[in-house]
Amino acid sequence: MKIEGPNKTQKTSETKKKGKVSGGGSFGDLIGAGAPSVGGSNATQSIAHLESLLAVQGTDDPAEKAKRNKMHIRADHLLDQLENLRMALLTGQLTVGHVIDIADVVASHREKISDPEMTALLDEIDLRAQVEIAKMRVSLRSL
């Protein structure tokens, strides 16, 4: 190809028409029928919005994390007290003090719990502790 200057260009080669396009109908018919709808674009945007919402929800709130840590500490303390009670019961060294400790721990944490199942469980522990305290007091009076 020879370059002759800024205003002179070579004539482009022409393509020859070869008849009808395969697929039937003319170009106007294809446009009139409309392009097939593409649902992927809207779906992709919806997924992108959903992913951004999930990302925002996935971040930990420092206040919520501190609250969860306090709940874990309270739960560990209660489980430790129950373990002490169990060991005292198994070794035959159960005292009224052990049972009163459990009743105190349950009473001190009751108002901080909003889960109804956990509240029911604490109610059962408290009821059992109160029954055991009453039985021990009766047995101590008879001595």
Side-chain angles (χ1 to χ4, degrees), residues 1-40:
M1 177 173 175
K2 183 177 177 183
I3 300 174
E4 297 184 11
N7 292 331
K8 297 186 179 185
T9 59
Q10 288 183 340
K11 188 175 183 183
T12 59
S13 62
E14 293 182 23
T15 58
K16 295 183 181 179
K17 295 182 182 179
K18 292 187 176 182
K20 287 190 173 183
V21 178
S22 64
S26 67
F27 184 72
D29 291 338
L30 290 175
I31 291 177
S37 64
V38 179

Side-chain angles (χ1 to χ4, degrees), residues 51-116:
E51 285 178 354
S52 63
L53 286 174
L54 291 175
V56 168
Q57 289 177 349
T59 59
D60 285 337
D61 181 23
E64 186 67 31
K65 190 173 184 180
K67 183 179 176 183
R68 201 173 324 124
N69 285 340
K70 285 181 182 179
M71 287 190 315
H72 283 286
I73 291 169
R74 286 192 305 257
D76 286 339
H77 181 65
L78 180 60
L79 289 174
D80 288 341
Q81 291 295 324
L82 286 171
E83 181 64 22
N84 290 340
L85 180 70
R86 184 180 76 90
M87 290 305 295
L89 184 64
L90 290 174
T91 59
Q93 299 173 349
L94 183 67
T95 63
V96 176
H98 286 103
V99 183
I100 289 174
D101 287 344
I102 289 294
D104 289 342
V105 169
V106 169
S108 68
H109 296 319
R110 184 176 305 229
E111 70 277 352
K112 298 173 186 171
I113 296 175
S114 60
D115 184 21

Side-chain angles (χ1 to χ4, degrees), residues 34-55:
S37 64
V38 179
S41 173
N42 290 338
T44 304
Q45 289 175 351
S46 296
I47 291 173
H49 291 299
L50 180 62
E51 285 178 354
S52 63
L53 286 174
L54 291 175

